[in-house]
Amino acid sequence: SKRQAGEAAALVRMSRDLDRPGVWGAFTFVIPLILDSIFSGLLPNVFTPNVIAMLQRPEYTFTQVAERKRLDRTGQLLLIGTGLTVVTTLVNIAVGALGDWTGLQGVELWLTVGIGGGLFVVVTQNIVMPLVVEPFLQRISSPRTDLTPLRYISKDRKSLKREDEVGANGESWLGPQL
């Protein structure tokens, strides 16, 4: 019917985006799933879960899910672009300041930057990752059973206990938690 035409069009469009073959499929399915899990894990009040989880929420129409995911994708790309711009600008400023400070330029300057970058990687892997990054990664990868399609084992939600909930034993709906 005409009343459901918009919903049908949104569902078909999302379904086609999730089912493309090859490299294009990676850009329209796999990469968005990864981005959604990272961003909704880090900023759950700003970004929604992936499109598959959103489609299984009865409170949202297909059109609302499609619009929200477009908004999420725009925000994700803006944050990534802004982050890359900031990092590039800071690296250029730092390299310029290092060149001014040391009097180095050209190959000598970039060799120094390469050695310093190597030291930075070693320090980051041995100190920063365990203390700062790993807690964020645990938050992202922790099972968020409230967003999974199999939230409850039974349909009788009132009689369930916490241990009856899927994910209560450390498993996510994607598989066992490692």
Side-chain angles (χ1 to χ4, degrees):
S1 75
K2 290 182 182 181
R3 199 176 70 177
Q4 298 296 326
E7 290 299 304
L11 179 60
V12 168
R13 192 171 43 254
M14 285 186 288
S15 176
R16 285 182 55 204
D17 285 345
L18 295 173
D19 197 26
R20 295 182 191 263
V23 174
W24 191 243
F27 281 103
T28 61
F29 180 66
V30 177
I31 293 172
L33 284 178
I34 293 168
L35 287 174
D36 287 340
S37 69
I38 291 170
F39 281 95
S40 69
L42 287 175
L43 301 167
N45 294 331
V46 178
F47 295 102
T48 59
N50 67 60
V51 70
I52 296 169
M54 290 295 291
L55 286 172
Q56 294 172 350
R57 290 184 166 185
E59 64 267 23
Y60 296 110
T61 65
F62 298 131
T63 306
Q64 289 171 328
V65 170
E67 290 171 356
R68 181 56 204 232
K69 293 320 294 177
R70 271 193 300 275
L71 181 65
D72 279 359
R73 204 70 64 233
T74 301
Q76 291 166 353
L77 292 176
L78 283 172
L79 279 175
I80 291 169
T82 301
L84 290 174
T85 301
V86 167
V87 167
T88 302
T89 303
L90 291 175
V91 166
N92 285 334
I93 290 170
V95 169
L98 181 65
D100 293 343
W101 183 57
T102 61
L104 297 174
Q105 51 185 315
V107 173
E108 292 174 334
L109 176 62
W110 286 104
L111 215 77
T112 304
V113 169
I115 293 169
L119 290 173
F120 176 78
V121 167
V122 169
V123 168
T124 300
Q125 284 180 338
N126 294 320
I127 297 172
V128 176
M129 288 293 283
L131 296 176
V132 178
V133 177
E134 286 180 8
F136 284 116
L137 294 177
Q138 287 175 347
R139 181 174 178 193
I140 291 170
S141 64
S142 69
R144 295 178 60 195
T145 57
D146 59 315
L147 305 177
T148 64
L150 303 172
R151 179 169 167 87
Y152 296 102
I153 295 170
S154 167
K155 296 202 184 254
D156 182 16
R157 295 180 181 193
K158 292 179 183 173
S159 66
L160 291 176
K161 300 178 197 90
R162 171 74 180 141
E163 57 270 8
D164 294 328
E165 189 173 343
V166 173
N169 61 357
E171 291 184 357
S172 75
W173 66 287
L174 296 174
Q177 187 73 16
L178 300 175

